[in-house]
Amino acid sequence: MTAALVGRRLLALALVMLVTSFVVFSAMYLAPGSPESFLARGNSITADTLAAIRAQYHLDDPFLQRYLSWLGGLLTGDFGQSLQFRQPVGGLIASRLTTTLLLIGYASLLILISGVVIGVIAAIRRGVVDAAAVIGTTVAMGTPSFVVAIGLTSLFAVTLGWFPAFGAGEGLLDRLWHLTLPAVALALSSAALIARATRSSMLAELGKEYVETARVRGFSERRLIWRHAFRNAMAPVVTLTGLVVSGLLVTTTLVETAFGLNGMGSLLVQAVNAKDFPVTQAIVLIIVAAFAVSNLVVDLLYPLIDPRERGRAAG
Amino acid sequence: MATQALPLVRRRWLPRLRGAGWMAASAVAVLAGLVLVALLAPWLAPQDPDAVSLAESLNGPSAAHPLGTDQAGRDVLSRLIWGARISLLGPLGVVVGATLLGVTVGVVAAWRGGWVDAALSRMIELIFAFPGVLLAILLVAVLGAGLDSTVLALAIAYTPYMARITRGVALSERNRPYIRALELQGFAAWGIALRHLIPNIAPFVLAQASLCFGYAMIDLAGLSFLGFGVQPPRSDWGAMISEGQTALLQGMPLSALAPGAAIVTAVVAFSLLGEGIADHVRKAAR
């Protein structure tokens, strides 16, 4: 892990973001239907008003100039004006971000804890328990988040009435209560994936010679599993969890829509439906950036988690 | 072409598929059943899937409507059966598109090597940075909602998965003596690639395509659930779930849960099939 390597990865990240911003901006530029017709809301407007709108949103500038000024704005934290809500995009997204981050954090905890626990149990209790875990995780991995969402809503919100079916709630405890079903819906298939990864990683470690040696030397089974195999088995699992969690940023769109949560994901859906391009551009860029940054962080952290990788990454 | 392809399939693929295990076999049976249902929809569906009857809105299961009716009084079972068509055709479009693109990119990259390989690999990494559903949402924002935009976007987003595996196996196949021998005999590169290399790596590609089919189905259903995919009056299973949400909140969950169960069944079957083929191909390759 050298500084040069980190520098190279950061440069690559900056390049990916530059290309992405260009693709996103030109896609919106090429889209049929002009922003001013949206702003006019179907009313017929005078040529003067139209010219004023076009000037306000810089619609008459050449393409490259508009792109560069938009890019310059992004770098100073200015994402432009929402056409739909008539307020700065940055503030709009910030107001929606709390719910989304809370939901993703909640789901990530569920994924890591339940995934690792189920995976380890399946690996050390071969037989019926293991078979049940394998079948259960196979089905869970094939169940889309929004299908889980409607199943949970039907059972726990409508039939049993234990949890609310809609909304994000007020205050921390109420919020966590409101976000429990959404978090489970968001977490289920990823938790199953982590469980499978943990299971196969643990099985691989437990089958290695050093475990057998330690067993022959009379170490307790508990110590073998937790102090030796578990610690070595977790490195790839942590990496995978990082990738899975960044993927939640996209899936949250579906879960927020299913539960009527006012988060960043449901804002994206609203923005696309309303042809609110500045908001769409900003959210797409934020998600791609978060995706790329978390991939980078996972790659850079890997040698720290697994010392065996240190020499390899540097070489 | 067909006269050549058939013995090829029988000689190379069938023996490999036969040992894929009972899980894969039952997955094939389930999938064959789903395809049959989709094909025979006009004869299997008990009612007209689009017949609106407000008097029968949100009825429970009965002899006339085994799965009840939805908000608009349409027969849920009939809509489920007809919905199988779009629900299966959409992912098929994604996988066929991604396979054509990905195999081309992968084989060209492996065959040419050098700067061509480097350039194509960078491009693949760039598309990897873009989550598939997000790419589809972006394209919907530009082109408008519809099955075409979402299938096109997902085909592009899934191309890297197909390209990466193709490039990997094509690289090792490319260095086999028989390819060198054919080159020395003066056969054109594209001819060797099409007639010899691609048929030999096909099982790997097939395994990956089957896995991708399940994921494509999840993604497309999700996009339809958001209202970005297939547009009314046509519905796939994802759109049916979205339509059934109001009824679900009123305590009539069947019109949303039935299509949900259909999606899970199909996706699990495809991933079992994909894993079965992949396991077998790996064993056979050893």
Side-chain angles (χ1 to χ4, degrees):
Chain A
M1 182 56 53
T2 58
L5 186 80
V6 177
R8 212 161 52 221
R9 290 297 309 268
L10 284 175
L11 197 70
L13 176 72
L15 250 159
V16 165
M17 288 318 299
L18 194 68
V19 174
T20 308
S21 71
F22 186 77
V23 169
V24 169
F25 188 84
S26 37
M28 297 292 160
Y29 182 84
L30 294 172
S34 56
E36 70 263 26
S37 65
F38 176 80
L39 287 165
R41 289 168 201 276
N43 303 325
S44 56
I45 48 173
T46 62
D48 284 351
T49 325
L50 187 68
I53 289 177
R54 291 196 70 90
Q56 188 196 343
Y57 288 90
H58 302 288
L59 295 178
D60 290 321
D61 293 347
F63 169 74
L64 211 58
Q65 191 183 336
R66 280 176 62 189
Y67 170 64
L68 289 177
S69 76
W70 177 71
L71 196 63
L74 290 187
L75 294 177
T76 56
D78 174 14
F79 290 89
Q81 284 274 328
S82 159
L83 303 179
Q84 186 186 9
F85 297 97
R86 310 221 173 199
Q87 50 169 305
V89 174
L92 187 64
I93 293 177
S95 71
R96 302 290 198 98
L97 207 54
T98 326
T99 305
T100 300
L101 289 182
L102 204 59
L103 176 60
I104 290 181
Y106 196 167
S108 307
L109 269 179
L110 292 178
I111 290 170
L112 195 59
I113 295 172
S114 63
V116 167
V117 168
I118 293 172
V120 170
I121 292 176
I124 57 182
R125 291 264 153 81
R126 310 305 309 277
V128 183
V129 177
D130 185 33
V134 168
I135 293 170
T137 50
T138 302
V139 174
M141 281 194 287
T143 311
S145 59
F146 62 100
V147 174
V148 185
I150 56 145
L152 292 175
T153 306
S154 176
L155 182 60
F156 291 106
V158 179
T159 310
L160 297 171
W162 292 353
F163 291 97
F166 276 112
E170 304 283 333
L172 188 66
L173 271 182
D174 189 40
R175 274 192 172 178
L176 286 180
W177 184 56
H178 274 81
L179 289 180
T180 297
L181 292 186
V184 173
L186 192 55
L188 187 76
S189 68
S190 307
L193 184 68
I194 297 299
R196 288 296 277 272
T198 306
R199 174 182 172 274
S200 54
S201 188
M202 276 298 281
L203 284 179
E205 286 301 322
L206 287 171
K208 283 187 180 163
E209 231 169 85
Y210 75 91
V211 175
E212 200 50 45
T213 313
R215 187 174 283 138
V216 170
R217 286 183 62 190
F219 289 151
S220 73
E221 199 65 15
R222 169 171 296 187
R223 181 173 166 166
L224 278 180
I225 289 165
W226 294 108
R227 289 281 304 276
H228 297 274
F230 182 72
R231 289 177 69 173
N232 285 331
M234 279 322 282
V237 174
V238 170
T239 313
L240 187 64
T241 309
L243 299 179
V244 161
V245 166
S246 60
L248 297 184
L249 274 169
V250 181
T251 322
T252 188
T253 308
L254 292 154
V255 174
E256 284 172 24
T257 305
F259 285 101
L261 300 172
N262 269 330
M264 194 177 73
S266 52
L267 179 64
L268 175 63
V269 177
Q270 277 177 302
V272 169
N273 283 329
K275 290 209 174 291
D276 193 347
F277 289 163
V279 175
T280 310
Q281 287 168 336
I283 297 180
V284 168
L285 264 188
I286 288 173
I287 294 177
V288 174
F291 213 65
V293 168
S294 54
N295 283 3
L296 178 66
V297 169
V298 164
D299 277 3
L300 295 182
L301 280 184
Y302 196 61
L304 300 181
I305 304 165
D306 190 348
R308 289 168 297 184
E309 287 292 320
R310 265 174 220 164
R312 243 173 278 172
Chain B
M1 198 60 206
T3 46
Q4 273 180 348
L6 206 63
L8 189 79
V9 168
R10 216 176 284 148
R11 211 172 53 235
R12 286 214 179 102
W13 290 8
L14 283 188
R16 295 186 187 185
L17 292 181
R18 202 170 288 144
W22 65 269
M23 292 264 259
S26 43
V28 169
V30 168
L31 293 176
L34 284 177
V35 170
L36 269 182
V37 165
L39 287 175
L40 301 178
W43 294 278
L44 286 177
Q47 313 269 342
D48 176 356
D50 297 319
V52 172
S53 156
L54 291 177
E56 292 180 292
S57 172
L58 292 183
N59 279 358
S62 64
H65 306 288
L67 291 178
T69 57
D70 68 1
Q71 204 85 12
R74 297 172 298 193
D75 181 51
V76 172
L77 180 63
S78 303
R79 292 184 68 71
L80 197 65
I81 290 171
W82 278 93
R85 292 191 159 188
I86 307 174
S87 303
L88 291 173
L89 275 178
L92 186 68
V94 172
V95 169
V96 168
T99 305
L100 288 178
L101 279 171
V103 168
T104 310
V105 169
V107 168
V108 169
W111 195 279
R112 298 295 299 270
W115 68 268
V116 177
D117 186 18
L120 287 175
S121 297
R122 287 298 93 73
M123 208 177 75
I124 285 172
E125 276 167 33
L126 199 68
I127 304 179
F128 256 131
F130 232 97
V133 171
L134 196 65
L135 191 67
I137 292 179
L138 186 66
L139 209 66
V140 164
V142 175
L143 296 179
L147 195 62
D148 331 350
S149 329
T150 47
V151 167
L152 177 67
L154 288 182
I156 296 171
Y158 278 71
T159 297
Y161 295 93
M162 301 307 302
R164 198 172 48 171
I165 191 144
T166 305
R167 179 181 169 276
V169 283
L171 261 182
S172 60
E173 199 72 20
R174 165 93 174 90
N175 293 324
R176 291 269 183 95
Y178 80 92
I179 300 266
R180 289 263 177 267
L182 288 165
E183 275 185 302
L184 285 176
Q185 288 172 52
F187 285 104
W190 64 268
I192 305 174
L194 268 183
R195 295 201 37 185
H196 301 278
L197 192 141
I198 291 179
N200 275 329
I201 63 173
F204 293 91
V205 175
L206 188 72
Q208 183 77 353
S210 179
L211 283 174
C212 280
F213 199 107
Y215 290 117
M217 187 167 223
I218 292 183
D219 286 352
L220 271 180
L223 288 162
S224 289
F225 175 74
L226 292 176
F228 294 154
V230 62
Q231 296 299 303
R234 298 202 297 163
S235 301
D236 62 356
W237 293 332
M240 280 181 73
I241 294 179
S242 169
E243 293 163 7
Q245 256 194 313
T246 332
L248 181 116
L249 290 172
Q250 293 167 6
M252 301 290 294
L254 261 184
S255 57
L257 291 184
I263 294 174
V264 175
T265 309
V267 171
V268 170
F270 271 109
S271 61
L272 286 180
L273 175 65
E275 273 168 33
I277 301 176
D279 273 355
H280 197 71
V281 168
R282 250 178 267 132
K283 268 179 222 148
R286 235 176 260 146

